[in-house]
Amino acid sequence: MRRLWPLTVRGTGALVIAIVCFVVANEAGIVELMYFGILLLAVLGASIASLYLTRRTDTVTRSLTPDVATVGRDAVVHVRVGVRTALPTAPGKWRDTIPSGLTARAHGIFPALGSGLRGAERIVEFSYTATGARRGIHALGPLSVTSTDPFGIARRSTVFGERTRVTVAPAVIDLPALSNFAGEAGGTLHTTTNQLGQGADNLIARPYVPGDSMRRIHWRASAHRDSLMVRQEEQESTPEATVVLDRGVLRYSPEAMQAPGADPGFEAAVSACVSVVSRLVHDGYAVEVIDTDGTLLAERIDGGDMTEVEGLIGQFAGVTARRDDHLARLTRVFSGIMTGPVVLIVGRFDPADAEAIAPVAHHSTLPIVLSFAPVGDSLGRAADAGWHTAVLDPEGDLAATWSAATDRGVTHAGR
């Protein structure tokens, strides 16, 4: 904000001395004090004029690296200030306004600028590190610069530049791979064997083409045909997985519907959602993210396409809870189909919910429930129906929770 009083402590003292000189000169008839007071006022006026006539800022732009900040991770903010000035300017101090969704030490020294009589724009660049603190879309800025004259008598505080919208995406946790479920859950690039009979001699072979792995060369067929042949037993498939995020506000708190980042339980659910998607896509699954009524929350992401995962993470920066509760409809979404892993991420989860979603477990090769606030023996009932279950703790280790949920020997992980 602009300071209404343009003088520093030194300048204020000089003004007080000048007034005292005028009073004493009038009472005591000392003309020299009158001259000295006038000189002080002239110095004060010149100092103020030097600040308000020498600097004019035209442009302020900001950019982030990476473009989207993430909760708990650092991003570098680059600030570029274009300044037009006819006279040399003294150094000052800059400070950028940081929103509640970020934490940073955004202040420093604004350099002195030389004379620019030709009117050329001078560029001042600086940067600082900001850490994502709260998911959502936040406004970074404005930028303020406080400068003083060479004598330290007057100061000028200006606020300029448009605010920059900054996206803070949910935290993404690196989760363990589903290595124990390669056969049952679909696998990363799961292998099927096409055999005409028993034994390796009956495997289908085809001519070698550049790019084939040397480990797949069928040496007996190659010797028989006098040319390199490779085994045809490996067929890559794209298994499918579904991540279901329950956004019903009644399962969290009213704050979850008001703004991103307001409810810790919902934040844990959103972070778990994007982390699970990242893990499954990395493992080769084609993943769909839906609400409990089947509404798509993101377009289908093909296995291995981590660029689309980054886009989804940014998209989920603004996701909030909704008023409707459709968990009971989840059975209809999977009715009549068979799919790979189904991961349900939910807030409050009671025994009635466990009974309602019990049939879904039979339509998935790996059904998982992650609940933020399970009620009674709801997770136990879900486990009896075939679900792998775990408690989602906002302050806990999501990777450990994921391991507990996917471990065949553990169906329930406590807080």
Side-chain angles (χ1 to χ4, degrees):
M1 60 180 294
R2 294 180 181 271
R3 294 181 179 271
L4 299 178
W5 185 246
L7 300 180
T8 63
V9 174
R10 181 182 300 177
T12 303
L15 178 61
V16 172
I17 293 175
I19 295 174
V20 171
C21 288
F22 289 138
V23 173
V24 174
N26 183 57
E27 294 293 334
I30 304 176
V31 179
E32 290 78 3
L33 289 178
M34 179 70 70
Y35 293 152
F36 183 70
I38 294 175
L39 177 62
L40 287 178
L41 291 180
V43 172
L44 291 173
S47 297
I48 295 174
S50 67
L51 292 177
Y52 283 83
L53 297 178
T54 56
R55 176 174 293 166
R56 181 167 64 89
T57 302
D58 292 337
T59 58
V60 176
T61 58
R62 300 178 186 83
S63 61
L64 266 71
T65 304
D67 296 336
V68 177
T70 304
V71 173
R73 297 186 180 180
D74 293 338
V76 179
V77 181
H78 304 278
V79 184
R80 188 175 187 270
V81 184
V83 182
R84 295 182 182 274
T85 177
L87 299 176
T89 62
K93 297 180 179 180
W94 64 266
R95 180 178 296 275
D96 212 1
T97 305
I98 305 299
S100 60
L102 296 169
T103 58
R105 298 182 61 184
H107 57 82
I109 301 299
F110 198 88
L113 298 177
S115 175
L117 295 178
R118 296 182 180 180
E121 184 180 57
R122 304 299 180 90
I123 302 299
V124 178
E125 295 182 329
F126 48 86
S127 60
Y128 57 90
T129 300
T131 304
R134 180 174 176 176
R135 183 177 61 90
I137 310 297
H138 307 281
L140 183 61
L143 179 72
S144 63
V145 174
T146 301
S147 55
T148 59
D149 67 289
F151 299 104
I153 292 176
R155 65 183 167 210
R156 181 186 182 187
S157 296
T158 55
V159 178
F160 46 79
E162 297 295 333
R163 298 187 177 188
T164 302
R165 291 171 61 87
V166 177
T167 300
V168 179
V172 181
I173 310 301
D174 188 17
L175 304 179
L178 295 177
S179 57
N180 294 334
F181 294 91
E184 178 184 341
T188 304
L189 290 171
H190 104 241
T191 305
T192 58
T193 303
N194 293 332
Q195 296 181 342
L196 297 178
Q198 301 295 325
D201 291 340
N202 292 325
L203 293 175
I204 298 176
R206 62 168 174 81
Y208 171 86
V209 295
D212 285 334
S213 173
M214 297 298 292
R215 292 178 298 178
R216 297 178 59 189
I217 293 179
H218 195 303
W219 295 108
R220 183 170 297 183
S222 298
H224 179 72
R225 304 236 181 145
D226 198 22
S227 63
L228 286 178
M229 305 292 289
V230 296
R231 294 182 177 88
Q232 185 73 3
E233 78 275 13
E234 292 186 356
Q235 296 180 348
E236 295 183 353
S237 63
T238 304
E240 296 183 346
T242 305
V243 179
V244 184
L245 175 62
D246 189 342
R247 297 191 298 143
V249 69
L250 297 179
R251 300 186 178 276
Y252 303 96
S253 71
E255 288 78 11
M257 193 171 60
Q258 296 174 3
D263 176 53
F266 189 72
E267 292 310 297
V270 174
S271 177
C273 177
V274 296
S275 299
V276 170
V277 171
S278 178
R279 178 73 266 171
L280 293 175
V281 172
H282 183 272
D283 287 348
Y285 291 93
V287 181
E288 282 190 345
V289 185
I290 63 174
D291 206 333
T292 50
D293 61 353
T295 303
L296 278 175
L297 299 181
E299 295 295 330
R300 172 190 166 105
I301 302 177
D302 293 330
D305 193 347
M306 301 308 294
T307 301
E308 289 297 324
V309 172
E310 293 179 3
L312 175 138
I313 294 171
Q315 178 182 342
F316 269 58
V319 169
T320 58
R322 66 178 185 177
R323 195 175 303 276
D324 300 327
D325 185 8
H326 297 311
L327 183 59
R329 299 185 184 181
L330 191 62
T331 303
R332 302 179 187 176
V333 176
F334 292 95
S335 178
I337 64 174
M338 189 67 187
T339 186
V342 174
V343 183
L344 170 61
I345 302 169
V346 62
R348 180 183 57 80
F349 187 71
D350 55 41
D353 297 324
E355 298 296 333
I357 67 169
V360 178
H362 305 293
H363 296 269
S364 169
T365 57
L366 178 59
I368 299 175
V369 174
L370 302 178
S371 173
F372 163 64
V375 178
D377 63 343
S378 57
L379 290 183
R381 294 192 182 189
D384 292 339
W387 290 88
H388 294 253
T389 65
V391 177
L392 189 62
D393 186 356
E395 303 297 330
D397 185 353
L398 179 59
T401 300
W402 176 252
S403 296
T406 57
D407 192 333
R408 292 178 186 271
V410 178
T411 59
H412 180 218
R415 292 183 183 272

